[in-house]
Amino acid sequence: MILVIGQVPTRENARDGMVQRIAAVDALLAGEERVYLAPRHDPLSVAPFELEAPGTGVRAGRPNLFNRGDVERMVGLARQARAVYVHSVHWAQHVLPLYLLGHVVTDLHGVVPEEQRMVGQGEEALQLERVERFVLEHGLATVVVSDAMAVHLRAKYPGTAARLLELPNLSRLPAPALLDKPAPGPARVLYAGGTHAWQKVPRMLEALQRQPGGCEVEFLTPDVERLRQDVQAAGLEGRLSVRSVAPAEMPAEYARAHFGFVLRDDHVVNRVACPTKLQEYLAHGVLPIVESRSLGDFEALGYRTVAVEQFERGALPLGDEWREAVLQNRGVYEALRERTVAGERELSELLEGRRPPGATRPGVEEAALLPLSRTLDQLNPLRAALVRSPRELAARFARKLGL
């Protein structure tokens, strides 16, 4: 059995970026029994968590870290497991004692502390940095999405002996066997993605305002209404269309597109990333329009791009120049796919044949559980008071604070 710490992938959460990565790893573990745990913090709950079966070979539950019985059961499941796979330091911070068992693999997904700093969460970044260092030092292995991320971590934590395993974020969207789409005439420009701040939709609209026209432009997004409002505010209603399509329809959309926006700032978060959308562009012959070329390993692999300033001037590569660029990019995609296959094989070999730690390290359950048990015992009086009279307790706190 493999114990996975993170959300169980379902049809309902399939569009979430983190869950897409979890689903990709889950596909590798499909031959194993998996138990998914998404720990929660609920000081008022006393009911033990239950494991449900959302799919074949999969059980899932939400242990309450304020409930000693739930914690004991979580540690017991970890001891039964051949390995524990933790998705990101966000989840790792809740299960650090499990790392004492010696068989925990952490999938970083991204450089989370730097992501938090980027959005102004400095204190949380410091906390997650401590978690990041801990999992590197105590984990069986740490999974990164790019060689650039591995270089970043070794420079950030010099002297670390952590085993770093590269597993790129390979898109699961089927790629065409051959790129035989006609060269632009006229050019079709695409954006496929959401409206999060880091995706820089305002910059795309600004570029379209400056661009002389002559291109067919389409934005495909789940946030249709919001993006239509932005387009209207930018005075671009007649220049582009906005709609949403199902993931299964994306290959047909890519087949008609020649260029695609993927604007990112030159920031460490982007320099070590492995954007799934960018891979899809390269696989389907969509030449990326970029603001910064420093995206993951793509620059080192030699991908071809169009600078957003070049797009604004209307100086797009056409004909043979465009075809040469997209064929070179298809080679970059193939190289990335080979890295992914190698990473999947290395991860499978790491997990294959491992024995549960309980069979080899007696006494480790107590070592892992003791800090949590002590804390929970100290919290029991507070929990009991909250359960008895949460309103009265809240009122007492308010009076002390002078509210």
Side-chain angles (χ1 to χ4, degrees), residues 42-43 45-46 64 66-67 379-388:
D42 187 351
S45 175
V46 294
N64 181 10
F66 278 89
N67 185 313
L379 287 172
N380 277 338
L382 175 61
R383 292 177 69 242
L386 284 169
V387 172
R388 282 197 309 271

Side-chain angles (χ1 to χ4, degrees), residues 1-9 22 26 29-39 49-63 70 73-87 98:
M1 181 265 285
I2 304 293
L3 178 63
V4 184
I5 306 298
Q7 296 166 271
V8 63
I22 295 175
D26 186 73
L29 306 176
E32 302 272 357
E33 178 190 356
R34 285 98 69 208
V35 174
Y36 278 82
L37 296 183
F49 81 99
E50 300 293 335
L51 287 176
E52 301 177 349
T56 304
V58 178
R59 291 177 292 160
R62 301 210 63 193
D70 286 10
R73 191 175 176 196
M74 180 176 71
V75 174
L77 287 167
R79 279 181 62 90
Q80 295 169 32
R82 291 195 295 107
V84 178
Y85 198 97
V86 179
H87 282 284
L98 297 186

